[in-house]
Amino acid sequence: MIITIDGPAGSGKSTAARKLAARLGIAYLDTGAMYRAIALRALEHGVRLTDVEALVKTALEADIEVICGPTFTRVMLDGRDVTEAIRSMAVNAATSYVAREQRIRDLLVKRQREIGARLGSLVTEGRDQGSVVFPHADLKFFVDASIEKRAERRHQEMLADGENVTYDEILANLRERDGNDAHQWAPLLEPATAIHLDTTRLTIHEVVEKMLEVIQRQKSSAN
Ligand code: DC
């Protein structure tokens, strides 16, 4: 069973996907982590983010391995664990440059489909999972929340990670990312068949419960 969860930055999709996968006992794939790993590699190799050819080269050379468990994704870049390193503000900002390059997207879409084919069942999360990567997914969710709420959640996460950053910086970063990510190469598309969940007033527990209800309903109507 392939379940896709798409939505804008800070919508709660990562936590929801991880918790849903854990409840279902299937793998969880964080596709943003793959874009982030390439951005980290570009930063570490001194690649200019506006130099598209160099960015594509660094993406093609990157040895990215995503280890998908039901409660975690660990990301290996060129043989080392970068799961934590890809969460910095610098990587946040650089990832938009990576995500807007179509050749890099094609490469990662192919890898994501390979992971899906290999695992058979997974909850996969990103911004194009239901629309582009797995158009025939069994179930598609689209999660959204107000930008203020998304900034608040991101801020809490970053503080918990020990990042020294203000709410206003996060809000500005999200506004910029919403803009960049809405770029024609990587539009955030809501599949017509997706179930839309506004998570502004929901706890993560409530989001996951709603998702489980939908899955249960779908199972009952299939029987
Ligand atoms: O979900 P996230 O914050 O880890 O995503 C990091 C960046 O990668 C963000 O700019 C959106 C982009 N992204 C993408 O373009 N396509 C995906 N499938 C996942 C993430």
Side-chain angles (χ1 to χ4, degrees):
M1 176 185 225
I2 305 252
I3 301 174
T4 61
I5 305 182
D6 293 303
S11 58
K13 60 186 189 294
S14 306
T15 317
R18 201 170 56 239
K19 288 188 182 292
L20 181 66
R23 289 285 294 270
L24 296 172
I26 61 178
Y28 151 62
L29 175 62
D30 168 3
T31 62
M34 300 168 88
Y35 289 88
R36 286 169 177 270
I38 292 172
L40 177 66
R41 193 174 201 271
L43 292 177
E44 288 182 345
H45 285 69
V47 171
R48 240 185 326 122
L49 296 170
T50 48
D51 183 345
V52 174
E53 293 309 316
L55 260 191
V56 172
K57 186 166 178 287
T58 212
L60 288 171
E61 287 171 359
D63 174 13
I64 298 173
E65 198 196 337
V66 190
I67 305 163
C68 311
T71 54
F72 65 91
T73 296
R74 294 217 77 79
V75 186
M76 307 295 291
L77 172 65
D78 302 330
R80 83 179 213 274
D81 190 330
V82 294
T83 311
E84 274 82 40
I86 58 173
R87 300 287 154 198
S88 72
M89 282 298 273
V91 171
N92 267 358
T95 308
S96 275
Y97 290 87
V98 170
R100 73 177 76 162
E101 174 47 42
Q102 190 60 43
R103 281 172 289 170
I104 300 179
R105 300 199 72 80
D106 290 345
L107 176 77
L108 293 187
V109 165
K110 190 165 161 271
R111 297 222 180 130
Q112 290 154 18
R113 287 185 180 144
E114 283 165 5
I115 294 172
R118 178 160 49 83
L119 297 178
S121 277
L122 83 166
V123 179
T124 179
E125 163 261 305
R127 52 189 296 113
D128 56 355
Q129 297 301 290
S131 54
V132 175
V133 185
F134 297 105
H136 303 297
D138 300 280
L139 194 53
K140 300 177 186 180
F141 290 103
F142 190 91
V143 289
D144 204 355
S146 70
I147 192 159
E148 292 78 13
K149 189 71 192 181
R150 294 193 280 127
E152 193 185 306
R153 287 180 183 150
R154 264 292 141 106
H155 189 216
Q156 291 306 324
E157 274 170 28
M158 306 279 300
L159 290 182
D161 285 350
E163 290 274 339
N164 185 14
V165 65
T166 66
Y167 168 84
D168 287 340
E169 281 167 333
I170 301 269
L171 186 63
N173 179 260
L174 277 188
R175 285 216 167 95
E176 203 209 348
R177 286 176 60 181
D178 279 2
N180 281 342
D181 292 347
H183 192 274
Q184 57 168 323
W185 295 114
L188 176 61
L189 298 173
E190 179 164 0
T193 52
I195 290 151
H196 186 101
L197 288 177
D198 184 335
T199 69
T200 309
R201 289 186 183 78
L202 297 177
T203 64
I204 192 64
H205 177 75
E206 289 167 332
V207 174
V208 174
E209 287 304 318
K210 276 189 188 293
M211 289 176 165
L212 286 167
E213 272 168 32
V214 173
I215 294 167
Q216 203 46 52
R217 268 207 307 276
Q218 203 190 45
K219 272 193 189 147
S220 319
S221 63
N223 289 334

